[in-house]
């Protein structure tokens, strides 16, 4: 039997590269489209690679004319909240306008199954915790706004063209593939866990705690960390659902459990055995105090079962990767 072919846009990035590996391991054929602005070709585990952007309609039309694509997964977004506030048009242009070009090309070529990497940032400041999918969406930054705009586009494309999609709203992605061969590599790292591990490998002097007087038990922000391989397993279930005629849907992906910044640092000290000096610093603008997901919906509907719910285990997988990165 011929394998289904999946186009992974942004497949050379952190989450995309884990997705490519898991799709290949599950037996799908994979084409990665990535402009390498944030991705790394060496993180690709196989499949075909095309260098290019998701807004390049000539390239997309050619790609969809020459390959039979069963579904598209889209990881090629800019995702830094702070940067999106400073450079909103960069976010609207890439995350929204270029995605519209991708969807348009898909529809022209009758490719109508799409899995979208959305974000907890679509909710804005939470009015209740844990956050369910029916929580109001009032994003507080252009990043979240660009993602909710795409979700709206997807809904409208479903109504107009019978386009089927699953939008996955990630909370805080972390960790690395258990093989230790791929992991999180950002040119300009801003995320807590990789930064903490860079301190543990002496690539940084200390970790700054952004805000120590939030209304939380230890005064630091609480986030819901989810292992990257649990994100990809959710994508595989979403893909299976769409390929078997399932309907469009939106799901949260988190672990229903929050950890404060201080707890993250403490667990990293335990895992690495390193002192990891931490200093209190100013709040980072736009950070909500607490973000915790309810992921009951995807568990109930698609049978998703996270494998790495415990943050210590998540940090252990990241540590394996970061030690390798530090030795390069
Ligand atoms: N933090 C620090 N020091 C640092 C870096 C981060 O204290 O050096 C804190 C942040 O203030 C925040 C927490 O650690 O409270 C987590 O910060 P990250 O930057 O790791 O992650 P965010 O919660 O800001 O953002 C992530 C994704 C976004 C997504 C968001 C949704 O990067 O794309 O989760 O929850 F929108």
């Amino acid at each position: 039997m011929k394998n289904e072919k999946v186009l992974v846009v942004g497949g050379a990035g952190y989450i995309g590269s884990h997705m490519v590996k898991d799709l290949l391991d599950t037996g799908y054929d994979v084409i990665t489209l990535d402009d390498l602005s944030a991705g790394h070709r060496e993180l690709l585990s196989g499949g075909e690679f095309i260098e290019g952007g998701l807004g390049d309609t000539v390239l997309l039309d050619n790609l969809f004319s020459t390959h039979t694509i069963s579904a598209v997964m889209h990881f090629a977004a800019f995702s830094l909240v702070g940067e999106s506030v400073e450079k909103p048009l960069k976010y609207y242009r890439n995350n929204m306008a270029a995605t519209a070009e991708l969807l348009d090309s898909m529809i022209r070529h009758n490719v109508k199954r799409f899995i979208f990497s959305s974000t907890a940032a679509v909710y804005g400041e939470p009015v209740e915790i844990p956050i369910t999918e029916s929580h109001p969406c009032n994003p507080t930054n252009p990043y979240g706004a660009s993602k909710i705009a795409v979700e709206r586009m997807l809904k409208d494309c479903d109504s107009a063209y019978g386009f089927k999609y699953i939008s996955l709203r990630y909370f805080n992605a972390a960790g690395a593939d258990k093989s230790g061969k791929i992991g999180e590599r950002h040119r300009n790292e801003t995320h807590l866990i990789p930064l903490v591990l860079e301190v543990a490998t002496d690539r940084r002097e200390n970790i700054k705690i952004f805000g120590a007087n939030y209304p939380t038990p230890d005064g630091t922000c609480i986030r819901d960390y989810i292992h990257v391989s649990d994100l990809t397993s959710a994508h595989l279930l979403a893909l299976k659902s769409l390929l078997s005629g399932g309907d469009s849907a939106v799901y949260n992906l988190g672990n229903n459990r929050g950890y404060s910044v201080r707890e993250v640092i403490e667990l990293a000290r335990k895992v690495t055995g390193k002192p990891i000096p931490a200093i209190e610093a100013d709040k980072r603008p736009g950070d909500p105090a607490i973000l915790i997901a309810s992921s009951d919906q995807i568990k109930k509907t698609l049978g998703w079962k996270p494998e790495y719910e415990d943050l210590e285990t998540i940090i252990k997988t990241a540590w394996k990767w970061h030690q390798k990165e530090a030795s390069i």
Side-chain angles (χ1 to χ4, degrees):
M1 197 187 76
K2 208 174 154 301
N3 291 338
E4 304 271 9
K5 193 176 279 184
V6 180
L7 172 65
V8 182
V9 185
Y14 168 41
I15 302 169
S17 61
H18 285 77
M19 191 71 248
V20 168
K21 178 176 184 292
D22 289 352
L23 283 165
L24 291 169
D25 288 351
T26 314
Y28 290 98
D29 286 342
V30 176
I31 303 180
T32 293
L33 172 67
D34 199 302
D35 65 4
L36 300 180
S37 61
H40 305 270
R41 197 159 173 187
E42 59 279 15
L43 293 182
L44 286 175
S45 304
E48 189 178 331
F49 175 70
I50 300 171
E51 186 169 344
L54 76 154
D56 184 339
T57 45
V58 174
L59 185 154
L60 290 170
D61 283 341
N62 183 41
L63 197 161
F64 289 119
S65 315
T66 51
H67 296 86
T68 305
I69 305 287
S70 304
V72 176
M73 292 184 176
H74 177 12
F75 299 89
F78 297 133
S79 61
L80 301 178
V81 170
E83 185 190 53
S84 80
V85 176
E86 283 159 28
K87 299 177 184 164
L89 293 177
K90 174 175 175 183
Y91 278 70
Y92 288 113
R93 189 180 297 121
N94 180 69
N95 294 5
M96 202 178 79
T99 300
E101 297 298 349
L102 170 65
L103 298 179
D104 200 26
S105 183
M106 285 179 67
I107 287 158
R108 278 201 300 278
H109 294 87
N110 207 29
V111 179
K112 292 188 176 171
R113 297 185 192 105
F114 190 72
I115 300 176
F116 181 57
S117 301
S118 189
T119 169
V122 298
Y123 295 113
E125 193 63 46
V127 292
E128 59 184 23
I129 297 284
I131 299 171
T132 63
E133 292 82 355
S134 56
H135 185 286
C137 288
N138 291 312
T140 50
N141 52 65
Y143 169 59
S146 71
K147 289 284 183 172
I148 200 68
V150 172
E151 287 199 13
R152 178 61 203 253
M153 260 187 239
L154 294 172
K155 193 163 178 262
D156 292 341
C157 287
D158 188 349
S159 306
Y161 315 113
F163 184 90
K164 296 298 166 196
Y165 67 93
I166 293 186
S167 182
L168 298 172
R169 294 175 177 166
Y170 309 164
F171 281 63
N172 287 60
D177 185 72
K178 58 176 178 261
S179 67
K181 287 188 183 148
I182 53 175
E184 188 164 10
R185 184 189 293 163
H186 293 120
R187 290 190 179 92
N188 174 22
E189 191 52 77
T190 63
H191 294 105
L192 180 63
I193 292 177
L195 287 175
V196 166
L197 297 178
E198 285 182 14
V199 179
T201 49
D202 296 326
R203 283 175 292 168
R204 246 168 234 277
E205 269 179 32
N206 54 46
I207 183 75
K208 290 192 176 63
I209 297 174
F210 294 149
N213 66 347
Y214 280 98
T216 60
D218 69 15
T220 66
C221 286
I222 292 178
R223 293 290 180 272
D224 185 342
Y225 295 88
I226 173 167
H227 194 274
V228 60
S229 301
D230 286 329
L231 290 178
T232 59
S233 73
H235 283 71
L236 288 175
L237 292 170
L239 177 63
K240 221 165 118 193
S241 166
L242 291 181
L243 291 178
S244 56
D247 215 344
S248 298
V250 177
Y251 299 114
N252 281 343
L253 286 175
N255 274 316
N256 293 49
R257 157 99 215 249
Y259 292 86
S260 73
V261 173
R262 285 193 209 282
E263 284 175 316
V264 170
I265 297 169
E266 209 40 65
L267 277 172
R269 288 180 179 136
K270 185 173 169 206
V271 168
T272 63
K274 306 282 181 180
I276 313 184
I279 52 174
E280 289 181 11
D282 288 345
K283 285 183 178 173
R284 194 171 63 176
D287 271 341
I290 306 179
L291 288 175
I292 299 174
S294 161
S295 293
D296 291 351
Q297 205 52 44
I298 188 164
K299 289 181 181 161
K300 230 183 286 166
T301 315
L302 298 185
W304 178 63
K305 275 199 206 88
E307 214 185 303
Y308 304 86
E309 284 163 284
D310 168 51
L311 186 59
E312 189 174 333
T313 318
I314 295 178
I315 293 177
K316 275 184 189 156
T317 65
W319 179 228
K320 189 170 169 186
W321 163 253
H322 279 277
Q323 282 171 290
K324 194 172 146 228
E325 283 283 271
S327 66
I328 291 173

